[in-house]
Amino acid sequence: MELKRSTGHLSRLRRSLVVSLAVLGLISGSVTLAQAAETADVHGPDPTEESITAPRGPFEVAEESVPRSSVSGFGGGTIYYPTDTTDGLFSALAISPGFTGPEGSIAWLGPRLASQGFVVFTIETITLTDPPDSRAAQLQASLDYLTDDSSVQDRVDPDRLGVMGHSMGGGGSLKAALDNPALKAVVPLTPWHTTKDFSGVTAPTLIIGAQNDTIAPVSEHAEPFYESLPDDPAKAYVELAGEGHLAPILGNTTLAKYSIAWIKRFLDEDTRYDQFLCPPPQDPALSDYRSTCPH
């Protein structure tokens, strides 16, 4: 617990330094706020189309299995994390599978995202049929474990946490953001939820739908969710052309690309990734793209 407090303190010191640098820049005209933020929070080389669509990013990744028996509030899972700590603390996110889906159904996202410079926790749910609101609570429980009790807690910035999820896990990620306004980014993947109004979500949210989804049709789920979200601080809607509900478990490169760009932009506050989000991309792999285009 002392280590957890120390890392949180270092994170706050780092952010104080960012603000101080920005203020000095305003006085001297030599450093902008964006430049100061990038100096403090950047992880990895300048991004390119090739780097965010590659199967692996610039960071070597290790993994650790978390047994169900060692946790409470969720079903265990696997933590993926960069092995190099010279960049300091990393943002972190938890990912929930969908209805009847085991952790393995979303496991591909673990090393793919972690290799871009994140700590990623792909979780097993308590039962395969847990509804979205239960998955929301389990996502929060897994983040608490990650920051308070895991063996990699000293790598995690507790002030930069996000959630993702597929199907009912995607609906759960939206509910988790409602319940925890401190979350910094949310990425629901072909999400499903009976609630349609998520206007209380305050975290930047990227909703990824699939054009041919017949299980959670975008007109009944992804699109209403997106339209209900506030414009501020940021939101976007990506629709995968020709894809169905199971695209998030099939290693979809387009899904990975926009997910990486979003969590880099809003978990790390890395403005180098704006280029992949704004202006709206002309991408043949998308059948729809909407956003508030933050800058």
Side-chain angles (χ1 to χ4, degrees):
M1 294 301 293
E2 184 60 35
L3 182 57
K4 165 69 162 51
R5 287 193 293 270
S6 297
T7 56
H9 180 63
L10 286 173
S11 175
R12 288 189 292 273
L13 284 176
R14 183 180 65 180
R15 292 184 184 195
S16 296
L17 177 61
V18 170
V19 173
S20 298
L21 287 171
V23 171
L24 288 173
L26 290 174
I27 295 172
S28 67
S30 61
V31 179
T32 68
L33 181 60
Q35 288 169 337
E38 286 180 7
T39 300
D41 300 314
V42 117
H43 291 93
D46 287 344
T48 64
E49 181 76 15
E50 291 73 23
S51 73
I52 66 168
T53 56
R56 291 292 181 272
F59 290 87
E60 293 295 325
V61 172
E63 64 182 80
E64 177 181 323
S65 178
V66 179
R68 180 183 296 266
S69 59
S70 68
V71 300
S72 62
F74 65 108
T78 307
I79 300 172
Y80 301 87
Y81 57 95
T83 57
D84 185 355
T85 59
T86 57
D87 276 354
L89 300 179
F90 292 98
S91 304
L93 66 159
I95 309 176
S96 168
F99 185 71
T100 74
E103 178 206 354
S105 64
I106 42 90
W108 71 278
L109 284 164
R112 188 149 188 167
L113 300 182
S115 69
Q116 296 286 344
F118 299 99
V119 175
V120 182
F121 199 174
T122 57
I123 70 168
E124 196 81 70
T125 48
I126 295 172
T127 77
L128 295 180
T129 57
D130 292 333
D133 289 1
S134 173
R135 292 168 193 266
Q138 293 179 58
L139 283 166
Q140 185 58 55
S142 66
L143 288 176
D144 291 342
Y145 173 84
L146 197 59
T147 58
D148 295 345
D149 300 307
S150 75
S151 64
V152 299
Q153 61 180 286
D154 60 333
R155 299 170 188 264
V156 175
D157 185 341
D159 296 327
R160 293 184 181 276
L161 304 176
V163 289
M164 296 178 68
H166 172 228
S167 191
M168 285 193 181
S173 69
L174 285 164
K175 180 61 165 63
L178 274 179
D179 294 341
N180 182 5
L183 293 177
K184 302 300 184 186
V186 187
V187 185
L189 310 173
T190 60
W192 188 100
H193 204 296
T194 55
T195 297
K196 307 304 177 187
D197 183 1
F198 288 96
S199 56
V201 170
T202 57
T205 301
L206 168 68
I207 294 180
I208 299 183
Q211 183 181 28
N212 296 336
D213 192 337
T214 58
I215 296 173
V218 294
S219 62
E220 300 174 26
H221 295 274
E223 289 180 314
F225 299 159
Y226 172 78
E227 294 300 333
S228 76
L229 293 168
D231 291 345
D232 185 29
K235 65 178 181 178
Y237 172 67
V238 164
E239 188 176 281
L240 305 174
E243 297 288 351
H245 188 69
L246 301 183
I249 70 175
L250 300 176
N252 187 282
T253 296
T254 303
L255 179 151
K257 168 186 174 179
Y258 291 103
S259 296
I260 290 165
W262 194 262
I263 59 178
K264 276 288 191 179
R265 175 60 182 87
F266 293 105
L267 277 187
D268 283 358
E269 298 181 23
D270 190 338
T271 56
R272 296 179 301 170
Y273 287 81
D274 277 339
Q275 63 182 298
F276 305 108
L277 302 168
C278 295
Q282 302 301 306
D283 188 338
L286 303 182
S287 50
D288 194 359
Y289 182 90
R290 312 171 202 176
S291 82
T292 53
C293 254
H295 273 296

